[in-house]
Amino acid sequence: MKYQQEIETRLRKNFNLSFLEVFNESEKHRGHLNGPQGDEQAETHFHIKLVSSEFKGLSRLECHRLVYQVLEDLIPSPIHALRLE
């Protein structure tokens, strides 16, 4: 769970969050390209739900860009996919 914890830590540090949930969805992608293989416990696919007053007035694309900037050195490797809400 090192990447999930790292994501949570970075988001809490960089945004004034009123809500945050980070889900590891890697298991749903077992056997897919860049998904977990065999017994591997991968952290490659995440679903992030977050709410911050800093996103007020911004488009969805602008919000996503801010989040990606905070996590940029984790994407695309080791993290293959993010789903943001």
Side-chain angles (χ1 to χ4, degrees):
M1 274 226 241
K2 66 180 182 176
Y3 294 119
Q4 183 171 349
Q5 291 171 344
E6 180 67 19
I7 290 168
E8 290 176 9
T9 299
R10 289 184 189 196
L11 293 175
R12 290 186 193 285
K13 179 180 175 185
N14 287 279
F15 298 106
N16 181 23
L17 298 173
S18 55
F19 180 82
L20 175 64
E21 287 185 328
V22 179
F23 304 96
N24 181 350
E25 295 187 331
S26 301
E27 188 60 33
K28 293 179 181 180
H29 301 274
R30 181 165 296 285
H32 297 176
L33 180 64
N34 295 316
Q37 306 298 319
D39 292 334
E40 176 185 0
Q41 296 294 326
E43 289 186 279
T44 56
H45 295 69
F46 290 94
H47 177 189
I48 300 171
K49 294 182 180 184
L50 69 161
V51 177
S52 173
S53 59
E54 296 164 71
F55 299 144
K56 187 172 182 158
L58 299 179
S59 70
R60 181 178 292 184
L61 180 59
E62 291 169 319
C63 295
H64 285 209
R65 283 181 178 153
L66 291 175
V67 171
Y68 272 74
Q69 285 174 353
V70 170
L71 304 175
E72 69 183 337
D73 63 314
L74 297 176
I75 304 166
S77 181
I79 296 173
H80 174 68
L82 286 180
R83 183 164 57 115
L84 301 176
E85 273 184 72

